[in-house]
């Protein structure tokens, strides 16, 4: 009988010890699972470039306090520090950055580092910014976006010849129909194309409805972009909820083909732009305020012009 009591006591003691160990270690492991990091480009142009100082920011500084962090930069270099982590790549390429925490947990992230020539090439690709649907006799505004251009030859497909020679032009169609706009610049070998549908002349009441609908869509996109900017890095479900909403409701092409123009001077695809908005929450110095949003087409958004500013924390 005494042996049974002794065995029972030993078993209960072991169960208690296991419970204590689970209590001590499982919360820590669960907490580590929420840790993520962001690679922040210091020149704010949404590109990682050769010889640019990149800052590595952890989303939860409290969770890593007192822990041993090792950063593997994907090129053989290793950094061992918890705060004020920065690094500069000397060669272009795709790198896998790995953050190891106490040798028990790791977080991986791929980044692409581009050369100065690649950056120039990306920003110099001309794009036509303008609506994809208009009305007979309506004055439509089109502009060429991109760097390095100094000549512009516009053909709007109605006259059969060159119609304008400026970077930004105003054109009105006399006959309804489907047209292809062509833009030839000094930076392109072949013209850039843009399709547009011209509808019969509209009444004033219809014009008001169209304008109101456009404003509603722009304000809706603005609201969801601000929600992405305000979400914490750990709130991944919030990030995906708002990006998927915009993509599914307003895009007719892949999100990585939708061009986002920031403050009329910087360019990004939609996915890259939203990632930048989301991870800026990790930056203790500033937050993003979405001040205004303009789109090119009510029914099929292909480009978004965002006016944004920074709010110092």
């Amino acid at each position: 009988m005494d042996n049974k009591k002794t065995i029972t006591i030993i078993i209960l003691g072991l169960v208690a010890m296991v419970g204590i160990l689970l209590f001590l270690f499982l919360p820590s492991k669960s907490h580590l699972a929420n840790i993520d990091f962001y690679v922040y480009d210091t020149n704010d142009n949404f590109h990682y470039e050769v010889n640019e100082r990149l800052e590595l920011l952890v989303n939860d500084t409290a969770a890593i306090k007192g822990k041993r962090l090792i950063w593997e930069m994907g090129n053989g270099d290793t950094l061992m520090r918890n705060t004020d982590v920065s690094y500069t790549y000397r060669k272009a390429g795709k790198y896998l950055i790995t953050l190891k925490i106490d040798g028990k947990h790791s977080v991986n992230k791929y980044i692409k580092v581009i050369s100065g020539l690649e950056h120039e090439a990306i920003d110099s690709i001309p794009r036509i910014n303008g609506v994809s649907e208009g009305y007979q006799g309506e004055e439509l505004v089109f502009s060429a976006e991109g760097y390095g251009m100094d000549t512009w030859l516009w053909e709007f497909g109605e006259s059969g010849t060159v119609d304008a020679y400026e970077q930004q032009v105003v054109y009105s169609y006399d006959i309804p129909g489907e047209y292809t706009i062509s833009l030839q610049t000094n930076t392109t070998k072949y013209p850039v194309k843009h399709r547009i549908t011209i509808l019969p002349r509209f009444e004033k009441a219809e014009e008001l409805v169209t304008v109101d609908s456009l404003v509603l869509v722009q304000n809706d996109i603005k609201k969801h972009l601000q929600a992405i900017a305000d979400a914490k890095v750990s709130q991944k479900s919030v990030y995906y909820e708002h990006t998927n909403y915009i993509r599914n409701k307003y895009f007719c092409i892949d999100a990585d083909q939708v061009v986002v123009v920031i403050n009329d001077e910087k360019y990004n695809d939609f996915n890259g732009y939203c990632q930048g908005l989301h991870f800026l929450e990790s930056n203790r110095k500033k937050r993003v305020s979405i001040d205004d949003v303009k789109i090119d087409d009510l029914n099929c958004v292909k480009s978004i012009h965002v006016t944004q500013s920074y709010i110092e924390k």
Side-chain angles (χ1 to χ4, degrees):
M1 192 71 175
D2 291 337
N3 289 336
K4 289 183 178 180
K5 287 183 177 179
T6 302
I7 292 173
T8 302
I9 292 172
I10 292 173
I11 292 174
L12 291 175
L14 290 173
V15 171
M17 289 179 63
V18 171
I20 292 172
L21 290 173
L22 289 174
F23 178 78
L24 291 175
F25 291 104
L26 284 183
S28 174
K29 184 176 180 181
S30 175
H31 203 48
L32 289 179
N34 293 323
I35 291 180
D36 200 355
F37 70 88
Y38 170 59
V39 184
Y40 175 66
D41 61 319
T42 53
N43 64 9
D44 282 342
N45 68 353
F46 301 99
H47 296 303
Y48 305 126
E49 302 164 46
V50 171
N51 296 324
E52 177 187 10
R53 182 173 62 85
L54 304 179
E55 294 181 356
L56 308 176
L57 307 171
V58 178
N59 66 322
D60 191 345
T61 55
I64 62 172
K65 187 175 181 180
K67 300 187 181 297
R68 182 171 178 264
L69 269 59
I70 298 177
W71 300 83
E72 296 178 353
M73 306 309 297
N75 59 355
D77 288 354
T78 300
L79 306 177
M80 300 179 64
R81 47 184 181 270
N82 289 25
T83 58
D84 299 325
V85 184
S86 63
Y87 187 78
T88 300
Y89 286 94
R90 303 302 179 186
K91 293 182 179 180
K94 192 173 184 180
Y95 298 95
L96 175 64
I97 300 177
T98 301
L99 169 61
K100 293 184 176 180
I101 307 169
D102 280 350
K104 301 175 182 178
H105 183 75
S106 62
V107 184
N108 301 308
K109 194 179 298 290
Y110 274 106
I111 68 167
K112 183 180 180 181
V113 178
I114 62 175
S115 65
L117 291 176
E118 287 178 290
H119 183 201
E120 183 178 348
I122 291 172
D123 286 344
S124 63
I125 298 174
R127 302 179 182 88
I128 296 176
N129 178 35
V131 298
S132 296
E133 187 175 272
Y135 290 91
Q136 176 186 10
E138 180 184 9
E139 291 189 343
L140 305 172
V141 180
F142 301 91
S143 61
E145 304 289 349
Y147 292 101
M149 296 180 291
D150 53 32
T151 59
W152 304 269
L153 303 177
W154 294 88
E155 295 183 27
F156 289 97
E158 187 175 38
S159 67
T161 185
V162 176
D163 299 292
Y165 301 90
E166 303 295 331
Q167 183 174 5
Q168 180 169 298
V169 296
V170 178
Y171 189 83
S172 61
Y173 286 89
D174 294 326
I175 302 173
E178 301 283 337
Y179 295 92
T180 298
I181 301 173
S182 296
L183 169 65
Q184 179 72 58
T185 75
N186 59 296
T187 64
T188 54
K189 183 175 181 179
Y190 301 105
V192 179
K193 305 289 187 179
H194 179 76
R195 293 284 297 173
I196 187 169
T197 301
I198 300 301
L199 303 174
R201 194 180 306 275
F202 57 92
E203 299 296 331
K204 188 65 176 178
E206 294 177 350
E207 178 187 17
L208 292 176
V209 171
T210 301
V211 172
D212 288 345
S213 299
L214 181 64
V215 171
L216 288 174
V217 170
Q218 291 174 160
N219 287 339
D220 190 37
I221 294 175
K222 174 185 174 182
K223 178 183 70 175
H224 287 278
L225 289 179
Q226 188 64 63
I228 294 170
D230 293 340
K232 294 183 179 180
V233 175
S234 59
Q235 295 176 308
K236 294 182 180 179
S237 61
V238 176
Y239 166 76
Y240 286 118
E241 174 190 348
H242 292 283
T243 54
N244 288 338
Y245 174 89
I246 297 173
R247 180 170 59 244
N248 295 334
K249 186 164 185 178
Y250 297 116
F251 294 174
C252 63
I253 58 177
D254 291 340
D256 58 3
Q257 296 179 12
V258 175
V259 178
V260 180
V261 184
I262 305 100
N263 293 339
D264 291 326
E265 59 181 7
K266 297 175 182 177
Y267 300 83
N268 219 161
D269 64 88
F270 178 77
N271 289 333
Y273 174 71
C274 288
Q275 289 173 8
L277 278 185
H278 178 54
F279 283 109
L280 272 176
E281 192 275 336
S282 295
N283 189 345
R284 296 180 173 183
K285 302 175 183 177
K286 55 190 176 183
R287 277 183 171 273
V288 174
S289 171
I290 307 298
D291 301 321
D292 191 28
V293 167
K294 300 294 182 186
I295 60 174
D296 61 332
D297 191 339
L298 181 63
N299 301 311
C300 178
V301 175
K302 296 178 182 177
S303 69
I304 304 174
H305 279 240
V306 178
T307 302
Q308 66 184 43
S309 56
Y310 290 107
I311 301 174
E312 298 296 330
K313 293 183 181 180

